[in-house]
Amino acid sequence: MQTHNLGYPRIGSRRELKKASEQYWAGKLSAEQLMTTGKEIRLFNWRLQKDAGIDLIPVGDFSFYDQVLDTSLMVGAIPTRYHTLMQEKQLKDVDLLFAMARGYQKDGFDITAMEMTKWFDTNYHYIVAEFVANQTFSLFSNKLVNEVREAKEAGIPAKPVLLGPVSYLLLGKEKEPGFHRLELIKRLLPVYLEVLKKLDDAGVYYVQLDEPCLALDLTEAERQVFVKTYREIKAKFPDLHIILASYFECYGNNLSTVLELPVQILHLDLVRCPSQLDDILVNASFVNSATRLSLGVVDGRNIWKNDFQQSVHLINKAVAKIGRERILIAPSCSLLHSPCDLDLESDEKVLTPEMKQWMSFANQKIREVVTLKQLTSGEPGAATDKAWRENVAATNSRRTSALIHKVVVKQRVAAIAAGDARRTHEFAERKLRQRELLKLPAFPTTTIGSFPQTPEVRNVRARLKKGEISPAEYDAFVEKETEAAIRWQESIGIDVLVHGEFERNDMVEYFGEQLDGFVFTSNGWVQSYGSRCVKPPVIFGDVSRPRPMTVRWSGYAQSLTKKWVKGMLTGPVTILQWSFVRNDQPRSETCAQIALAIRDEVVDLEKAGIRVIQIDEPAIREGLPLRKENWKEYLDWAVRAFRISASGVEDATQVHTHMCYSEFNDIIDSIADMDADVITIECSRSQMELLEAFAEFKYPNEIGPGVYDIHSPRVPSKMEMVALMEKARAVVPADQLWVNPDCGLKTRAWPETKAALVAMVEAAKELREAVPAGAR
């Protein structure tokens, strides 16, 4: 029996990669220093896993931005708009990587970034590969091979990890009509074979190929691409041990195809789908083969301690059927989605010992994997026995703790009636009352909520936490920043203002800190995209709102101006999806509890004079189960939760929602059923392609398609935004359109923010001149 890991967090236990990358972008760190930071993180991660007792250690899971983008560079899939930049600037590989991820706007160049979207049903974002009909591939980056050599020199038992060729194509996007991206496999596969040859020459024995698209609904034609691809790999490298890894779901209808693939090791996510183990163990052909199983029994996506009793049962079931020598123990998926190290949580005021004993981060999960091997492979010992007893005690403690269950909360959820999830009247009537009250022009302008969180803002918040300034001093600072933001928005002519959210650390954490049933960590950071890291709250128990959360700052901002100020809230599904969620009750139940808490806040905002309220739900799409057969159940409770949160106000109060980096075509009816008065969506990177779903559906409510990409420092021109809105006007009536950025501006700097928003307001003015009077 062996142990292995599918991937380790790349950000560093103290977010060293984030800090180094941002310093490099700011010109405060050299490329050599950035490379050194990357190498230090890799070596630290490898040695940690080796010292813990992991037999096969992943290499290639580290990236300066994103593993899918690394794959595009490896195979030379570099969009043509970057070619001149490459030739004239002779960029280092890392600079090209950053230009493709973030855009490039200097030295006379103005190049847009590649599209970004969610990685399956997680909150991680990947850079979408772009393909054209005459796409060519060639080996461009030797990053993986170089890192394997680096690991071997350090004495690490390296197991290279790379995104499999079929999933790489499926996760990409055709940038022109007339072909399907899977048709490119014949051109792509030779590059993969070249990489595998280099790995083989380097003395590699195991290679992990991630094919997460095997967890999706696939056509028979798509399945056959997998079969042909892996047969060719096997024919070229018969002695290379391929670990085929899929995760986040069962193989489902793809299982028979998967069992045909000529791979030596098959990974199973037994956290998301424990039942698939039985499906495989009853397959006589598999049982009688030599194929080994990687049992993903340790949750790679949540922070709860493994239940050893449950995992040992699953492992022993497999051992009884096929023997220990055909078993590998592993996490369910890459630990990219897990914080680094629970040992860094030393502040008992933040995380009490009782709660801490229930948790496990990446470092601890690695050790759980090793302990499970010891428990099931006849390696008893005092340390193993102690670990077993402690695990059983912690598991029992969590089941019975009085901290978790609140009768009043459960009773309120049980009493939710159908009317609690409906506004008083339909949108057509609400629209009239809202326009009478709000009196906004055609193409009204607004932003999505947050303004730049400058070093000064973060520093003042940190000083408050350290007790270096008083709450009154902190409030005075936030008041000053809020007033400055209101005055500046007034000065450039934005129609619906925001208060800027200077008091908020994170759009989920801020609310979790004020809700019962949540607890927080000091260093529980995970990567969202690039250098963007988030510290998700932990939902450990029943959720309720003890007091108003946002009324103080929204009310203050509204008192400063005669223009309307939006109240800014995070919706129940997003709070759920972007938290580490308790796994002892259905997610739908927890979401309903959060929805009632947000509903109470919405009602209080309206009472305070806030008549435009935004309830952000960027995570609705990412919460979808990977298989369509399970969509309806999820969408029913998710949409209901949003409607519960939004339906306690009068018709004249306008409810907005915001969604980002999502494909909407196949869930557009559910989005319409949310019944938000205004929805703002990311559209700029896709050049308004995402708006087509709303147009084809004839979406009845109002829409704000984002006109510039806030995830890039690039500042678009007024005419660029006008052109995007003209595309929007071509498919959506002007009467329904708003003008806004793609997302919140928290991560941007003020100079680029101001330049872009001034251009956005000017674009809206030009659009109004082209619209007949009274169009709104």
Side-chain angles (χ1 to χ4, degrees):
M1 189 183 289
Q2 290 179 297
T3 57
H4 76 121
N5 179 29
L6 277 66
Y8 202 80
R10 61 179 68 122
I11 59 174
S13 57
R14 301 285 188 181
R15 291 181 295 158
E16 292 89 346
L17 184 61
K18 168 191 173 63
K19 295 166 186 175
S21 297
E22 292 177 354
Q23 285 181 309
Y24 179 66
W25 298 335
K28 298 177 181 178
L29 204 69
S30 69
E32 291 72 21
Q33 289 171 309
L34 179 63
M35 294 298 108
T36 297
T37 299
K39 183 174 182 178
E40 289 172 348
I41 293 171
R42 290 193 297 274
L43 288 171
F44 179 88
N45 290 349
W46 294 336
R47 288 167 178 159
L48 180 150
Q49 294 172 78
K50 182 181 179 182
D51 292 345
I54 295 294
D55 297 315
L56 306 177
I57 295 172
V59 175
D61 52 341
F62 175 85
S63 174
F64 282 102
Y65 206 95
D66 165 55
Q67 71 271 13
V68 183
L69 182 55
D70 284 348
T71 307
S72 292
L73 282 168
M74 181 184 78
V75 302
I78 301 167
T80 56
R81 63 184 179 276
Y82 300 101
H83 290 184
T84 303
L85 178 67
M86 292 165 59
Q87 294 163 3
E88 294 190 12
K89 299 298 294 182
Q90 296 184 336
L91 297 180
K92 299 180 179 70
D93 283 2
V94 73
D95 290 326
L96 177 59
L97 176 111
F98 290 147
M100 293 166 70
R102 307 176 72 237
Y104 192 94
Q105 192 176 44
K106 61 181 179 180
D107 305 325
F109 290 92
D110 188 1
I111 305 174
T112 57
M114 295 173 69
E115 191 173 339
M116 183 165 66
T117 196
K118 295 292 179 68
W119 178 251
F120 295 86
D121 58 349
T122 75
N123 188 31
Y124 178 75
H125 303 66
Y126 74 94
I127 302 296
V128 181
E130 299 179 8
F131 304 125
V132 293
N134 64 349
Q135 182 74 49
T136 60
F137 301 98
S138 61
L139 183 59
F140 180 83
S141 169
N142 283 302
K143 171 184 175 293
L144 177 60
V145 177
N146 292 339
E147 289 180 1
V148 168
R149 292 195 183 107
E150 180 182 277
K152 283 182 167 291
E153 289 171 3
I156 301 300
K159 177 197 62 174
V161 175
L162 67 161
L163 180 60
V166 186
S167 289
Y168 172 68
L169 290 175
L170 287 172
L171 292 167
K173 193 171 189 178
E174 297 93 345
K175 298 305 288 186
E176 60 186 23
F179 79 105
H180 190 282
R181 56 198 180 277
L182 274 186
E183 296 167 13
L184 303 175
I185 189 66
K186 292 180 181 179
R187 300 179 208 166
L188 175 66
L189 186 54
V191 182
Y192 269 80
L193 295 176
E194 185 177 354
V195 173
L196 291 174
K197 177 67 167 59
K198 287 178 178 286
L199 294 173
D200 194 31
D201 291 344
V204 165
Y205 188 66
Y206 293 95
V207 176
Q208 176 184 317
L209 289 175
D210 284 1
E211 292 285 7
C213 288
L214 285 167
L216 304 177
D217 295 313
L218 298 176
T219 65
E220 183 57 31
E222 289 168 336
R223 294 187 193 110
Q224 287 307 306
V225 175
F226 280 99
V227 172
K228 292 176 183 176
T229 298
Y230 280 84
R231 283 178 179 169
E232 186 162 350
I233 291 173
K234 177 67 173 177
K236 295 287 186 182
F237 302 100
D239 298 325
L240 201 59
H241 279 53
I242 300 297
I243 303 174
L244 183 73
S246 186
Y247 29 78
F248 305 151
E249 236 316 345
C250 294
Y251 287 104
N253 293 334
N254 304 320
L255 180 59
S256 60
T257 300
V258 168
L259 293 177
E260 288 179 30
L261 299 180
V263 297
Q264 284 75 9
I265 301 169
L266 181 63
H267 176 74
L268 309 179
D269 182 341
L270 296 181
V271 174
R272 281 295 185 93
C273 186
S275 63
Q276 64 182 325
L277 180 60
D278 290 331
D279 296 336
I280 289 174
L281 294 180
V282 298
N283 185 294
S285 177
F286 171 81
V287 170
N288 295 324
S289 73
T291 306
R292 300 169 70 191
L293 284 181
S294 164
L295 305 182
V297 290
V298 173
D299 194 344
R301 289 184 53 174
N302 214 330
I303 48 74
W304 302 113
K305 183 169 286 187
N306 186 261
D307 183 340
F308 280 178
Q309 291 174 304
Q310 181 178 332
S311 295
V312 165
H313 170 72
L314 289 170
I315 296 167
N316 283 339
K317 181 187 294 186
V319 167
K321 197 74 174 179
I322 62 175
R324 289 191 181 96
E325 69 281 357
R326 286 177 62 187
I327 301 296
L328 293 87
I329 309 299
S332 60
C333 62
S334 170
L335 299 177
L336 170 71
H337 312 287
S338 176
C340 290
D341 193 352
L342 187 64
D343 290 343
L344 298 178
E345 303 299 321
S346 57
D347 189 345
E348 294 186 0
K349 294 179 182 177
V350 177
L351 192 63
T352 66
E354 181 178 8
M355 292 183 184
K356 187 175 178 180
Q357 69 168 330
W358 302 334
M359 298 181 186
S360 175
F361 292 0
N363 185 5
Q364 289 69 41
K365 290 177 186 295
I366 288 298
R367 297 170 195 282
E368 288 178 336
V369 167
V370 173
T371 302
L372 285 167
K373 174 190 171 183
Q374 294 165 344
L375 287 168
T376 54
S377 60
E379 299 178 20
T384 305
D385 291 343
K386 181 173 181 287
W388 170 268
R389 291 194 302 272
E390 289 177 348
N391 183 273
V392 170
T395 302
N396 290 336
S397 166
R398 185 166 168 238
R399 288 193 184 116
T400 58
S401 174
L403 292 173
I404 292 175
H405 303 286
K406 307 294 180 185
V407 174
V408 173
V409 176
K410 296 181 188 300
Q411 288 175 339
R412 190 179 179 198
V413 169
I416 294 173
D420 294 325
R422 286 197 299 266
R423 299 285 294 274
T424 305
H425 293 96
E426 298 296 318
F427 172 72
E429 186 167 342
R430 299 199 308 268
K431 177 174 70 173
L432 299 176
R433 298 185 184 184
Q434 290 165 16
R435 292 190 174 184
E436 181 182 358
L437 173 68
L438 301 177
K439 296 181 171 58
L440 298 173
F443 299 104
T445 55
T446 190
T447 64
I448 304 305
S450 59
F451 276 144
Q453 292 260 326
T454 63
E456 183 185 13
V457 170
R458 293 195 296 269
N459 180 56
V460 170
R461 187 181 305 122
R463 291 181 64 201
L464 174 69
K465 286 188 175 182
K466 293 175 183 176
E468 295 175 1
I469 61 173
S470 68
E473 290 174 304
Y474 177 72
D475 285 356
F477 171 80
V478 174
E479 286 180 356
K480 177 175 70 71
E481 293 292 310
T482 302
E483 181 169 8
I486 292 292
R487 299 294 174 233
W488 182 76
Q489 291 172 86
E490 288 178 324
S491 73
I492 68 167
I494 290 180
D495 299 306
V496 176
L497 314 184
V498 296
H499 75 284
E501 303 181 16
F502 301 106
E503 78 286 3
R504 302 187 188 183
N505 41 18
D506 174 81
M507 66 180 290
V508 174
E509 184 176 2
Y510 179 77
F511 292 93
E513 286 175 338
Q514 301 181 75
L515 292 168
D516 289 343
F518 284 74
V519 71
F520 288 84
T521 62
S522 300
N523 294 285
W525 298 97
V526 293
Q527 184 183 23
S528 179
Y529 64 88
S531 70
R532 170 75 168 144
C533 299
V534 294
K535 186 154 60 70
V538 176
I539 305 177
F540 71 89
D542 290 331
V543 177
S544 60
R545 186 197 74 145
R547 64 191 67 84
M549 301 179 287
T550 67
V551 174
R552 155 76 166 108
W553 293 111
S554 293
Y556 172 71
Q558 186 65 77
S559 73
L560 299 172
T561 180
K562 293 182 179 179
K563 288 195 167 188
W564 295 107
V565 175
K566 271 195 296 190
M568 301 301 305
L569 304 172
T570 303
V573 180
T574 297
I575 290 177
L576 181 89
Q577 190 69 20
W578 290 359
S579 299
F580 292 120
V581 184
R582 57 189 292 192
N583 56 4
D584 62 337
Q585 72 175 13
R587 291 170 69 89
S588 57
E589 180 80 7
T590 304
C591 196
Q593 294 175 357
I594 302 169
L596 289 171
I598 299 300
R599 178 189 181 95
D600 293 343
E601 188 71 14
V602 169
V603 170
D604 281 348
L605 282 169
E606 184 184 58
K607 290 176 181 176
I610 307 300
R611 304 307 296 271
V612 182
I613 301 171
Q614 182 169 308
I615 307 172
D616 286 341
E617 283 291 18
I620 282 273
R621 171 76 199 210
E622 76 185 51
L624 276 174
L626 298 188
R627 299 200 180 280
K628 287 189 176 180
E629 64 195 61
N630 301 319
W631 282 16
K632 185 180 185 303
E633 178 186 0
Y634 161 76
L635 288 168
D636 284 350
W637 65 253
V639 169
R640 177 174 178 262
F642 177 84
R643 293 182 65 136
I644 289 168
S645 71
S647 295
V649 292
E650 298 175 358
D651 285 345
T653 295
Q654 189 175 73
V655 174
H656 292 222
T657 192
H658 171 67
M659 298 182 185
C660 54
Y661 294 107
S662 295
E663 298 285 349
F664 299 111
N665 302 57
D666 43 11
I667 60 167
I668 189 66
D669 53 344
S670 295
I671 291 174
D673 195 39
M674 290 169 67
D675 200 27
D677 300 308
V678 182
I679 181 172
T680 54
I681 58 174
E682 178 278 329
C683 270
S684 65
R685 284 202 183 194
S686 68
Q687 294 291 300
M688 293 290 165
E689 288 179 12
L690 295 179
L691 202 58
E692 293 173 4
F694 291 85
E696 292 172 7
F697 183 77
K698 294 184 171 25
Y699 185 76
N701 300 17
E702 297 181 13
I703 309 173
V707 293
Y708 82 90
D709 175 21
I710 68 88
H711 297 92
S712 167
R714 177 179 174 274
V715 177
S717 67
K718 176 187 81 169
M719 294 314 299
E720 187 177 331
M721 296 190 208
V722 169
L724 285 173
M725 287 303 298
E726 290 293 354
K727 285 186 178 182
R729 276 185 63 196
V731 295
V732 175
D735 184 53
Q736 290 177 240
L737 291 171
W738 286 61
V739 182
N740 46 263
D742 269 345
C743 203
L745 297 159
K746 172 183 177 180
T747 61
R748 302 270 53 95
W750 269 115
E752 68 204 47
T753 295
K754 289 186 175 183
L757 290 180
V758 167
M760 185 189 81
V761 172
E762 291 302 312
K765 290 178 181 177
E766 183 155 325
L767 289 164
R768 288 168 194 153
E769 293 174 0
V771 174
R776 197 176 166 79

